[in-house]
Amino acid sequence: MSSNVTISYANTEHVKHAERICTLIYESALQRGTGIARRSPAYIKAKIEGGKAVVALDGDKLVGFSYIECWGHGDFVATSGLIVDPDYRHQGLARRIKQKTFELARERFPYAKIFSITTSLPVMKLNTDLGYKPVTFEQLTDDDEFWQGCQGCVNYDVLTRNNRLRCLCTAMLFDPQTAPKKSSVIGRILSPFKK
């Protein structure tokens, strides 16, 4: 199924999928019982219109999504909202979406540290393959607006009780200053897709 899926940077023609994206995010959070922060269609539309999102499409059907967000005056970029339609899971699609989102972050913000917070073991593995390292929350942005975005997560009380120093999520960081050469990291990720 995923061989017919195209993954690309989102543009204004993809705004029509905002409701579907929100539904997928919500359903995934319910299924996992852990934190995926809810997002509004307006928020998703802003990411798409701002050139900060990636879509996966099977024809005209949205089957995956992810986006980036800039924090700390461009010092940090978060990759977030990685979601795959349940009918398209376990086919390597999340890996392809994550790779495209990482490429978008590196293109738009080449000197920024890229971070991700997640409770998902598969996402942690994808991040590790891209060169992310586990870090403490203190090493992430101190931008209040970022942390307010966690309010939609079921674990928000854990984060606030611990003064934003700990939560159930794992924080991971890619630092372009200490990362291995680009070709070695991307080559490892793309090797399963080379023909």
Side-chain angles (χ1 to χ4, degrees), residues 81-186:
L82 176 61
I83 194 72
V84 175
D85 182 297
D87 293 338
Y88 289 76
R89 291 182 185 160
H90 310 292
Q91 300 175 38
L93 189 54
R95 176 176 294 276
R96 292 172 54 204
I97 295 168
K98 183 71 175 184
Q99 173 62 40
K100 195 71 168 176
T101 307
F102 182 79
E103 289 173 11
L104 178 61
R106 295 289 290 133
E107 285 178 23
R108 296 279 316 264
F109 305 96
Y111 304 107
K113 294 177 181 177
I114 304 172
F115 70 97
S116 174
I117 60 172
T118 185
T119 57
S120 168
L121 182 59
V123 172
M124 289 179 220
K125 288 179 179 178
L126 293 174
N127 286 343
T128 300
D129 288 345
L130 287 166
Y132 288 69
K133 304 288 184 205
V135 296
T136 64
F137 279 27
E138 292 170 295
Q139 292 173 271
L140 305 180
T141 183
D142 60 359
D143 194 315
D144 288 332
E145 190 177 347
F146 169 78
W147 296 105
Q148 288 171 4
C150 293
Q151 289 177 357
C153 175
V154 297
N155 300 317
Y156 186 66
D157 66 314
V158 177
L159 181 68
T160 56
R161 266 196 327 262
N162 290 294
N163 298 315
R164 297 192 321 210
L165 298 176
R166 286 178 300 287
C167 194
L168 300 182
C169 284
T170 296
M172 300 187 78
L173 185 72
F174 173 87
D175 185 344
Q177 299 299 316
T178 60
K181 296 260 189 256
K182 182 179 178 181
S183 61
S184 65
V185 172
I186 291 178

Side-chain angles (χ1 to χ4, degrees), residues 13-50:
E13 76 178 59
H14 300 118
V15 167
K16 64 186 177 186
H17 299 293
E19 291 280 347
R20 171 85 175 128
I21 292 163
C22 292
T23 299
L24 285 173
I25 290 171
Y26 178 69
E27 289 173 353
S28 181
L30 287 178
Q31 181 183 26
R32 288 179 35 214
T34 57
I36 296 179
R38 290 186 73 177
R39 300 292 183 226
S40 70
Y43 185 88
I44 297 300
K45 287 176 184 175
K47 295 296 148 235
I48 293 170
E49 291 170 343

